[in-house]
Amino acid sequence: MENCPAFPLMDRCADGTILIASSRRKPGQLNGAVIRPDHVVEPISCGDAIEHLQLDNTGNAWIGYFDEGVFGADQLSQRGLVRLGLEGTLLCDAGEPIDDCYALNVSEDRVLASWYSDFPIAECTLEMTERNRLPRAPYPIKRLAFFEDKLLLQEAYKDGQFHFGRWVPAGWEHEESLTAVELFGCGIGQQDRLIARSSQFHLINTDKWIWVDIADF
C-alpha cells in the first residue's frame, strides 16, 4: 500500500482478503482498507479509537473500541463493540453500555469479550446471541482464550498473571492461577507481543514465537 494507515491493526480472511485500519480516525476519514486477493483496495470507515480488530470465518469484522471512541463523536465507536461487514455495514453490536473494550477473541463460531463496565466476561455467537456470561470477573481482564468450556484469562495491570477455569451453570469456576513463566517458560518483556486468538495464546519476541493451546490443557 502506498498510504498505509498509521498505527495499523489488521487481520486476514480465509479467502486471503485483508482488512487493515488505523486505530484513530479523523472526522470524515476512511481509516480502513479492504485488500482483496486480486489486489483491489476498497476504502472503509472502521470507527475511531480501535482497540481490537479481528475477522470471523464469514468474512466480517469484529471491532472493539477504547474510551476515546466510546465517549467521542464517532457514532460507530460509541457502540463499544460491533460486527461490521467489509462493505461498511453495521451488522450488530453488544446492545449495552461498554466504556472500553479491554479483551476480544473471535473463533470460528464464537466470540468472547470483556469490557471496562464491571468487567463482565461474555461469550456469544457470531450473531451476538449470548451463550454464557459472568456478570463481573474477580479481576480486570486484558486477554482471554477459550475452547469448549475452558477459559484462560490474562489479568489486566498484571501482564504476567493468568487464570484458568471453566464455564459452569453458575458462571465461571476458577481452577488454577499461572504465571507467564509457568505458562510460556519465560516472562513477558516490555517489547514482547502477546496475542490471544481462539484457543491459543501467542508470545512473540525478538528471537522466539511461543504458543500454548488450552485445548491441550
Side-chain angles (χ1 to χ4, degrees):
M1 296 179 65
E2 293 183 359
N3 298 306
C4 183
F7 306 105
L9 295 92
M10 63 188 301
D11 202 4
R12 181 181 181 275
C13 294
D15 68 355
T17 298
I18 293 171
L19 174 61
I20 181 171
S22 169
S23 60
R24 300 307 306 266
R25 173 182 179 269
K26 297 178 181 179
Q29 177 191 29
L30 298 175
N31 63 324
V34 178
I35 307 171
R36 302 294 181 182
D38 58 4
H39 306 297
V40 171
V41 179
E42 303 163 358
I44 183 176
S45 177
C46 295
D48 184 33
I50 301 174
E51 180 77 21
H52 303 281
L53 184 153
Q54 294 186 16
L55 299 174
D56 62 31
N57 65 344
T58 64
N60 295 304
W62 289 79
I63 304 177
Y65 303 93
F66 52 89
D67 49 6
E68 281 83 352
V70 174
F71 298 105
D74 189 283
Q75 293 185 354
L76 186 64
S77 304
Q78 290 171 2
R79 299 173 182 270
L81 175 63
V82 301
R83 187 187 189 206
L84 195 69
L86 294 190
E87 73 290 341
T89 303
L90 175 65
L91 302 177
C92 53
D93 61 30
E96 62 182 281
I98 293 178
D99 294 342
D100 188 336
C101 185
Y102 261 50
L104 176 67
N105 189 339
V106 180
S107 74
E108 291 185 356
D109 60 350
R110 290 185 294 164
V111 175
L112 201 63
S114 182
W115 49 85
Y116 190 76
S117 310
D118 294 330
F119 283 103
I121 300 174
E123 178 190 330
C124 62
T125 67
L126 298 185
E127 291 73 34
M128 279 197 173
T129 301
E130 194 166 286
R131 295 176 47 148
N132 292 300
R133 174 181 283 247
L134 183 65
R136 185 179 182 88
Y139 23 71
I141 303 302
K142 187 173 184 178
R143 294 180 182 89
L144 29 72
F146 62 116
F147 177 78
E148 296 178 347
D149 66 337
K150 304 174 184 178
L151 297 177
L152 180 62
L153 315 173
Q154 182 194 20
E155 189 172 342
Y157 317 122
K158 295 181 181 180
D159 288 353
Q161 187 65 60
F162 296 81
H163 305 277
F164 176 71
R166 299 175 185 270
W167 286 118
V168 295
W172 178 74
E173 185 175 86
H174 178 272
E175 290 195 5
E176 65 175 322
S177 295
L178 300 161
T179 65
V181 173
E182 291 171 322
L183 196 59
F184 301 107
C186 62
I188 302 174
Q190 288 187 343
Q191 302 302 315
D192 295 351
R193 183 160 175 78
L194 185 63
I195 301 169
R197 195 64 191 267
S198 190
S199 62
Q200 298 177 338
F201 266 93
H202 298 259
L203 177 61
I204 305 164
N205 57 33
T206 54
D207 58 1
K208 290 183 180 180
W209 183 335
I210 307 166
W211 69 89
V212 295
D213 193 331
I214 67 168
D216 300 328
F217 279 26

